[in-house]
Amino acid sequence: MNNNNMFDMFADEFDKVQTNTNLVDNEIDTNLIESLREERERGLASGASRSCNSQGRLVDEPPCIVRSCYERDIGRIIYSEAFRRLRHKTQVFFNPNNDHFCSRIEHVNYVSYISCIIGRALNLNTDLIQAIALGHDVGHAPFGHSGERMLSNCLKKVNPNLSFSHEVQSLRVLDSLEEHNNHYGLNLTFEVRDGIVSHCGESYGEQKLIPRRDKTKERLYEYSVDRTIAPATLEGCVVRFADKIAYVGRDMEDAMRAGILDETKTFPKEVLDRLGSSNSQIINTLVADIIHTSRKLDGDVISLSDGNFEAFNKLLISSKDHIYMNEHIKTYEKKTNLIIEELFAEFYDLLDDALNDNEKLMNSKNDMVKQFASYVLKHPKKDEEKVLIVVDFISGMTDNFATECFEKIFGV
């Protein structure tokens, strides 16, 4: 039965419903909306994720009248403070004056767009895809992957058994640090949480991804230790591919805009001939290939064809060598590494006072010390490894705030 016929069938009943402040809070509307959602999801591919089959949330909640559980997760993510801060976080080029360089929030939107195109063509659940894509980088440190590496190095010096990865931090932010309805944690569904912690866009050499259907919400953090483990859903696998597709061509464009790259001299000609030499050409080629190859395999898999996988992998490796390891980037990294390292040392030294004598820090003449003291005071995970409070504080910073913080603490 199509949607128009269903509306026609209930037309007379709608007229009987009394208008109130919550217009859909009545049995007729609720039943119709639920029927429409069920009909949409019945038409999805056999391996797609259906909201009615979700493993659910960490804490059970009554369902929303209008939205599926994945649509609710989209709202919780985009209204979070961590998501808003992404517009001032680096993708590759640090704190750029040129507004046309890609920021972290632009990258997230590109991943959402690309993965939804693939998911719709494969008849997957695009609500789930969008939620994963929009949330996948909310735990990123300032200054991109340079900041991530330095923060991890600082953490390991305190405890060699600990490390920092933005995938796990994204899940930690959404599970524990963000506030929702006067509680900490957004209480997202398992499938969204899994897709976020398993997105691992820096893993090269993946031609195909087969969902790990045996994952459970109780062990999600355990799986994150091994970054090669695939997401639990086809939708999560699509986002993991889209993450790489979204950044490789755009990073090339930004590198050329910055004057540090000439793609005709840098990348293998056979790669550019096959995939294209512009961001749009590369996206078109790879998106179409994933759709065609995955449909042809017709199984529980998301895959690239042999030839395009080989070219794509070469492009990723070339980008690492000629963009991310470029001398201009490495030179600026020295500055950003210094900022992260010194901020970590300073706040770690202040941590005991912040935990045991918070009033002393709150009376400091330095605004940044006061902000750290205030952050520690309301931190929801004080019973865990204490150094993680420092990591949470720094990783949540934007590029601008980290720079300002450094200058206010160490400036003379």
Side-chain angles (χ1 to χ4, degrees), residues 105-357:
I105 202 164
E106 288 175 79
H107 165 71
V108 163
N109 284 324
Y110 298 152
V111 174
S112 178
Y113 172 66
I114 291 168
S115 55
C116 281
I117 290 173
I118 297 171
R120 195 171 292 112
L122 297 176
N123 205 18
L124 302 178
N125 192 322
T126 53
D127 293 332
L128 173 56
I129 284 174
Q130 190 176 13
I132 296 170
L134 291 172
H136 82 277
D137 269 357
V138 293
H140 233 296
F143 311 122
H145 291 290
S146 302
E148 180 177 14
R149 287 190 294 269
M150 178 50 68
L151 199 52
S152 191
N153 290 342
C154 293
L155 185 55
K156 280 183 174 295
K157 289 179 183 178
V158 174
N159 186 337
N161 296 319
L162 298 177
S163 62
F164 178 87
S165 76
H166 74 273
E167 298 98 338
V168 177
Q169 187 67 16
S170 292
L171 185 59
R172 177 176 169 86
V173 166
L174 297 170
D175 273 358
S176 304
L177 305 182
E178 278 291 329
E179 291 187 68
H180 177 68
N181 290 339
N182 298 318
H183 292 89
Y184 281 102
L186 302 189
N187 197 30
L188 304 179
T189 56
F190 161 77
E191 293 77 18
V192 172
R193 297 171 62 240
D194 167 75
I196 288 169
V197 80
S198 304
H199 78 264
C200 194
E202 293 70 54
S203 55
Y204 302 162
E206 290 182 337
Q207 181 177 358
K208 61 178 63 177
L209 288 170
I210 299 172
R212 279 287 302 270
R213 301 285 186 184
D214 60 338
K215 286 184 176 181
T216 62
K217 60 184 178 183
E218 292 79 15
R219 298 182 56 198
L220 199 49
Y221 282 94
E222 294 178 36
Y223 298 122
S224 68
V225 175
D226 185 353
R227 300 176 82 191
T228 66
I229 295 178
T233 64
L234 284 171
E235 289 82 359
C237 294
V238 166
V239 174
R240 184 149 151 169
F241 268 114
D243 188 22
K244 290 189 273 280
I245 294 171
Y247 73 67
V248 67
R250 182 58 199 264
D251 290 353
M252 284 173 54
E253 287 189 344
D254 282 353
M256 287 184 282
R257 185 176 289 116
I260 67 172
L261 180 68
D262 178 351
E263 86 281 5
T264 61
K265 299 177 181 178
T266 303
F267 297 103
K269 183 177 183 301
E270 66 274 14
V271 170
L272 300 181
D273 287 345
R274 184 175 190 109
L275 300 182
S277 57
S278 70
N279 187 32
S280 61
Q281 290 172 349
I282 292 168
I283 291 173
N284 284 340
T285 301
L286 293 173
V287 166
D289 183 79
I290 285 179
I291 293 169
H292 173 74
T293 305
S294 300
R295 288 182 67 87
K296 185 172 66 174
L297 291 173
D298 193 25
D300 206 26
V301 61
I302 303 297
S303 181
L304 280 165
S305 65
D306 293 343
N308 282 336
F309 161 69
E310 183 179 351
F312 185 37
N313 214 42
K314 286 181 180 178
L315 184 60
L316 288 167
I317 293 170
S318 294
S319 294
K320 179 181 178 181
D321 293 340
H322 298 293
I323 300 177
Y324 316 130
M325 304 300 290
N326 183 278
E327 284 305 311
H328 293 273
I329 300 293
K330 301 299 288 184
T331 298
Y332 203 85
E333 270 188 356
K334 294 176 183 177
K335 175 182 176 181
T336 59
N337 284 345
L338 176 66
I339 292 173
I340 296 291
E341 188 173 29
E342 293 303 322
L343 287 180
F344 183 93
E346 178 71 11
F347 291 128
Y348 187 61
D349 284 345
L350 295 172
L351 185 58
D352 281 342
D353 280 343
L355 289 167
N356 303 310
D357 191 9

Side-chain angles (χ1 to χ4, degrees), residues 352-370:
D352 281 342
D353 280 343
L355 289 167
N356 303 310
D357 191 9
N358 195 272
E359 187 176 349
K360 172 185 174 182
L361 297 189
M362 291 298 290
N363 291 326
S364 170
K365 294 181 179 179
N366 191 296
D367 288 342
M368 296 304 171
V369 172
K370 289 181 181 178

Side-chain angles (χ1 to χ4, degrees), residues 21-82:
T21 55
N22 193 355
L23 294 178
V24 297
D25 191 8
N26 61 79
E27 187 176 355
I28 295 172
D29 277 339
T30 301
N31 289 341
L32 176 60
I33 291 169
E34 186 175 340
S35 296
L36 291 171
R37 183 187 305 124
E38 289 175 355
E39 183 182 356
R40 281 197 305 271
E41 295 197 351
R42 272 198 300 270
L44 295 176
S46 60
S49 300
R50 290 159 175 79
S51 58
C52 61
N53 295 330
S54 171
Q55 287 195 40
R57 307 179 186 280
L58 291 172
V59 179
D60 288 339
E61 296 179 12
C64 176
I65 296 171
V66 177
R67 298 164 296 167
S68 73
C69 56
Y70 303 139
E71 289 175 297
R72 294 181 82 180
D73 287 355
I74 292 171
R76 293 180 186 188
I77 290 167
I78 64 175
Y79 284 109
S80 69
E81 291 186 358

